[in-house]
Amino acid sequence: VQLQASGGGLVQAGGCLRLSCAASGRAFSTYAVGWFRQAPGKEREFVVVLKWSAGSAYYADSVKGRFTISRDHSKNTVYLQMNNVKPEDTAVYFCAADRSFGVTPGEYHYWGQGTLVTVSS
């Protein structure tokens, strides 16, 4: 599975942004797709994971109610809608895929290249 993350950029606090994660090589249908983020000097942290087949998702408390993950079957793409962003959301965002519904980076074999989100105050 090859993953391509995109959609990052500069956004003001309170604004919104949508990230995309497109898969090639294999369909997402049997996978879980997660988003992680890594701020400068910090470890990579879990944001949200989607179980593709069921459409169920699990969010980190820090983003619950502000971020929404969704999927497009026809495009084999996962989206992360980020609303009411905060300066502390500034990070490189990575999408990842694996067969497990995990919340730690070590549980994922396949990773996208990352896309930078910068939230200005």
Short mmCIF file of all heavy atoms in Angstrom, two decimals, residues 35-39 42-47 60 62-63 66-67 82 86 88-94 111:
data_model
loop_
_atom_site.label_atom_id
_atom_site.label_comp_id
_atom_site.label_asym_id
_atom_site.label_seq_id
_atom_site.Cartn_x
_atom_site.Cartn_y
_atom_site.Cartn_z
N TRP A 35 -4.57 8.65 11.37
CA TRP A 35 -3.82 9.90 11.23
C TRP A 35 -3.03 10.10 12.53
O TRP A 35 -3.56 9.94 13.63
CB TRP A 35 -4.76 11.09 11.02
CG TRP A 35 -5.31 11.21 9.66
CD1 TRP A 35 -6.53 10.79 9.22
CD2 TRP A 35 -4.68 11.82 8.51
NE1 TRP A 35 -6.70 11.08 7.90
CE2 TRP A 35 -5.59 11.71 7.44
CE3 TRP A 35 -3.45 12.45 8.30
CZ2 TRP A 35 -5.29 12.20 6.16
CZ3 TRP A 35 -3.16 12.93 7.04
CH2 TRP A 35 -4.07 12.81 5.99
N PHE A 36 -1.79 10.46 12.34
CA PHE A 36 -0.91 10.80 13.45
C PHE A 36 -0.31 12.17 13.16
O PHE A 36 -0.35 12.64 12.02
CB PHE A 36 0.21 9.76 13.59
CG PHE A 36 -0.27 8.41 14.03
CD1 PHE A 36 -0.85 7.53 13.13
CD2 PHE A 36 -0.15 8.01 15.35
CE1 PHE A 36 -1.30 6.29 13.53
CE2 PHE A 36 -0.59 6.77 15.77
CZ PHE A 36 -1.18 5.91 14.85
N ARG A 37 0.24 12.77 14.17
CA ARG A 37 0.91 14.06 13.96
C ARG A 37 2.15 14.15 14.82
O ARG A 37 2.23 13.51 15.87
CB ARG A 37 -0.04 15.22 14.26
CG ARG A 37 -0.49 15.32 15.71
CD ARG A 37 -1.55 16.41 15.85
NE ARG A 37 -1.97 16.59 17.25
CZ ARG A 37 -2.97 17.39 17.61
NH1 ARG A 37 -3.64 18.08 16.70
NH2 ARG A 37 -3.29 17.49 18.89
N GLN A 38 3.07 14.94 14.34
CA GLN A 38 4.32 15.13 15.07
C GLN A 38 4.71 16.59 15.03
O GLN A 38 4.99 17.14 13.97
CB GLN A 38 5.43 14.26 14.46
CG GLN A 38 6.69 14.22 15.28
CD GLN A 38 7.60 13.08 14.86
OE1 GLN A 38 7.46 12.50 13.79
NE2 GLN A 38 8.55 12.75 15.73
N ALA A 39 4.72 17.18 16.20
CA ALA A 39 5.14 18.57 16.34
C ALA A 39 6.66 18.61 16.54
O ALA A 39 7.26 17.61 16.97
CB ALA A 39 4.43 19.21 17.53
N LYS A 42 8.73 16.81 19.42
CA LYS A 42 7.82 15.92 20.15
C LYS A 42 7.69 14.58 19.43
O LYS A 42 8.03 14.45 18.26
CB LYS A 42 6.45 16.57 20.31
CG LYS A 42 6.45 17.82 21.17
CD LYS A 42 5.05 18.29 21.46
CE LYS A 42 5.04 19.48 22.39
NZ LYS A 42 3.65 19.93 22.69
N GLU A 43 7.18 13.62 20.15
CA GLU A 43 6.96 12.32 19.56
C GLU A 43 5.69 12.33 18.70
O GLU A 43 4.82 13.17 18.87
CB GLU A 43 6.83 11.25 20.67
CG GLU A 43 8.10 11.04 21.46
CD GLU A 43 7.99 9.88 22.43
OE1 GLU A 43 6.88 9.36 22.61
OE2 GLU A 43 9.01 9.51 23.03
N ARG A 44 5.66 11.37 17.80
CA ARG A 44 4.48 11.24 16.96
C ARG A 44 3.30 10.78 17.83
O ARG A 44 3.44 9.85 18.63
CB ARG A 44 4.75 10.22 15.85
CG ARG A 44 3.77 10.23 14.73
CD ARG A 44 4.29 9.45 13.53
NE ARG A 44 5.51 10.05 12.99
CZ ARG A 44 6.08 9.66 11.85
NH1 ARG A 44 5.54 8.66 11.15
NH2 ARG A 44 7.17 10.23 11.42
N GLU A 45 2.17 11.45 17.64
CA GLU A 45 1.03 11.12 18.48
C GLU A 45 -0.19 10.79 17.64
O GLU A 45 -0.37 11.28 16.53
CB GLU A 45 0.70 12.28 19.44
CG GLU A 45 0.20 13.54 18.77
CD GLU A 45 -0.30 14.57 19.78
OE1 GLU A 45 -0.19 14.34 21.00
OE2 GLU A 45 -0.83 15.60 19.32
N PHE A 46 -1.03 9.97 18.24
CA PHE A 46 -2.26 9.52 17.61
C PHE A 46 -3.27 10.65 17.51
O PHE A 46 -3.42 11.45 18.45
CB PHE A 46 -2.83 8.37 18.43
CG PHE A 46 -4.23 7.98 18.10
CD1 PHE A 46 -4.49 7.25 16.94
CD2 PHE A 46 -5.28 8.34 18.91
CE1 PHE A 46 -5.79 6.89 16.63
CE2 PHE A 46 -6.58 7.98 18.62
CZ PHE A 46 -6.83 7.25 17.47
N VAL A 47 -3.98 10.70 16.38
CA VAL A 47 -5.05 11.67 16.19
C VAL A 47 -6.40 10.96 16.06
O VAL A 47 -7.34 11.23 16.80
CB VAL A 47 -4.79 12.55 14.95
CG1 VAL A 47 -5.96 13.50 14.71
CG2 VAL A 47 -3.49 13.33 15.11
N ALA A 60 -8.59 10.86 19.33
CA ALA A 60 -7.89 11.32 20.51
C ALA A 60 -8.72 12.41 21.18
O ALA A 60 -9.42 13.18 20.51
CB ALA A 60 -6.52 11.88 20.13
N SER A 62 -7.90 15.13 22.38
CA SER A 62 -7.47 16.48 22.02
C SER A 62 -8.14 17.01 20.76
O SER A 62 -8.16 18.22 20.53
CB SER A 62 -5.95 16.52 21.85
OG SER A 62 -5.54 15.60 20.84
N VAL A 63 -8.68 16.11 19.94
CA VAL A 63 -9.30 16.55 18.69
C VAL A 63 -10.78 16.21 18.61
O VAL A 63 -11.46 16.63 17.66
CB VAL A 63 -8.57 15.96 17.46
CG1 VAL A 63 -7.09 16.29 17.51
CG2 VAL A 63 -8.80 14.47 17.35
N ARG A 66 -13.75 18.34 17.09
CA ARG A 66 -13.22 19.34 16.16
C ARG A 66 -12.79 18.70 14.83
O ARG A 66 -12.94 19.31 13.77
CB ARG A 66 -12.02 20.05 16.78
CG ARG A 66 -12.34 20.80 18.06
CD ARG A 66 -11.14 21.65 18.51
NE ARG A 66 -9.97 20.85 18.82
CZ ARG A 66 -8.79 20.97 18.20
NH1 ARG A 66 -8.65 21.87 17.23
NH2 ARG A 66 -7.76 20.22 18.55
N PHE A 67 -12.26 17.52 14.90
CA PHE A 67 -11.78 16.82 13.70
C PHE A 67 -12.76 15.70 13.35
O PHE A 67 -13.34 15.06 14.23
CB PHE A 67 -10.40 16.21 13.94
CG PHE A 67 -9.28 17.18 14.10
CD1 PHE A 67 -9.50 18.54 14.22
CD2 PHE A 67 -7.97 16.73 14.12
CE1 PHE A 67 -8.45 19.44 14.37
CE2 PHE A 67 -6.91 17.60 14.26
CZ PHE A 67 -7.15 18.96 14.40
N MET A 82 -10.51 19.21 9.61
CA MET A 82 -10.04 19.84 10.83
C MET A 82 -10.77 21.17 10.99
O MET A 82 -10.58 22.08 10.19
CB MET A 82 -8.53 20.07 10.76
CG MET A 82 -7.74 18.82 10.43
SD MET A 82 -6.00 19.15 10.00
CE MET A 82 -5.42 19.91 11.50
N LYS A 86 -6.41 24.93 16.45
CA LYS A 86 -5.72 25.67 17.49
C LYS A 86 -4.22 25.67 17.19
O LYS A 86 -3.73 24.77 16.48
CB LYS A 86 -5.97 25.00 18.84
CG LYS A 86 -7.43 24.86 19.20
CD LYS A 86 -7.60 24.09 20.50
CE LYS A 86 -9.07 23.91 20.87
NZ LYS A 86 -9.24 23.17 22.14
N GLU A 88 -1.89 24.65 18.91
CA GLU A 88 -1.30 23.38 19.34
C GLU A 88 -1.57 22.23 18.36
O GLU A 88 -1.05 21.13 18.53
CB GLU A 88 -1.79 22.98 20.74
CG GLU A 88 -3.29 23.01 20.92
CD GLU A 88 -3.78 24.31 21.54
OE1 GLU A 88 -3.29 25.39 21.14
OE2 GLU A 88 -4.68 24.22 22.40
N ASP A 89 -2.37 22.47 17.34
CA ASP A 89 -2.56 21.48 16.28
C ASP A 89 -1.44 21.54 15.24
O ASP A 89 -1.39 20.70 14.34
CB ASP A 89 -3.90 21.70 15.56
CG ASP A 89 -5.10 21.45 16.46
OD1 ASP A 89 -5.04 20.51 17.29
OD2 ASP A 89 -6.09 22.19 16.32
N THR A 90 -0.57 22.52 15.35
CA THR A 90 0.55 22.65 14.42
C THR A 90 1.45 21.43 14.50
O THR A 90 1.93 21.05 15.58
CB THR A 90 1.37 23.91 14.74
OG1 THR A 90 0.56 25.06 14.50
CG2 THR A 90 2.62 23.98 13.88
N ALA A 91 1.63 20.78 13.36
CA ALA A 91 2.44 19.56 13.31
C ALA A 91 2.51 19.08 11.87
O ALA A 91 1.78 19.56 11.00
CB ALA A 91 1.81 18.47 14.18
N VAL A 92 3.37 18.11 11.65
CA VAL A 92 3.33 17.34 10.41
C VAL A 92 2.34 16.20 10.63
O VAL A 92 2.46 15.47 11.62
CB VAL A 92 4.72 16.80 10.03
CG1 VAL A 92 4.61 15.93 8.78
CG2 VAL A 92 5.70 17.94 9.82
N TYR A 93 1.40 16.09 9.73
CA TYR A 93 0.37 15.07 9.85
C TYR A 93 0.68 13.92 8.89
O TYR A 93 0.95 14.15 7.71
CB TYR A 93 -1.01 15.67 9.54
CG TYR A 93 -1.55 16.48 10.68
CD1 TYR A 93 -0.98 17.72 11.01
CD2 TYR A 93 -2.60 16.01 11.46
CE1 TYR A 93 -1.47 18.46 12.09
CE2 TYR A 93 -3.09 16.75 12.53
CZ TYR A 93 -2.52 17.97 12.83
OH TYR A 93 -2.99 18.71 13.90
N PHE A 94 0.60 12.73 9.42
CA PHE A 94 0.88 11.53 8.67
C PHE A 94 -0.34 10.64 8.65
O PHE A 94 -1.01 10.48 9.67
CB PHE A 94 2.02 10.73 9.31
CG PHE A 94 3.33 11.45 9.40
CD1 PHE A 94 3.64 12.24 10.49
CD2 PHE A 94 4.28 11.31 8.39
CE1 PHE A 94 4.86 12.89 10.58
CE2 PHE A 94 5.50 11.95 8.47
CZ PHE A 94 5.79 12.75 9.56
N TRP A 111 2.97 4.03 5.69
CA TRP A 111 2.92 5.44 6.05
C TRP A 111 2.99 6.33 4.82
O TRP A 111 3.71 6.03 3.87
CB TRP A 111 4.10 5.79 6.97
CG TRP A 111 3.97 5.20 8.33
CD1 TRP A 111 4.36 3.96 8.74
CD2 TRP A 111 3.40 5.84 9.48
NE1 TRP A 111 4.06 3.78 10.07
CE2 TRP A 111 3.47 4.93 10.55
CE3 TRP A 111 2.83 7.10 9.70
CZ2 TRP A 111 2.99 5.23 11.82
CZ3 TRP A 111 2.36 7.40 10.97
CH2 TRP A 111 2.44 6.47 12.02
#
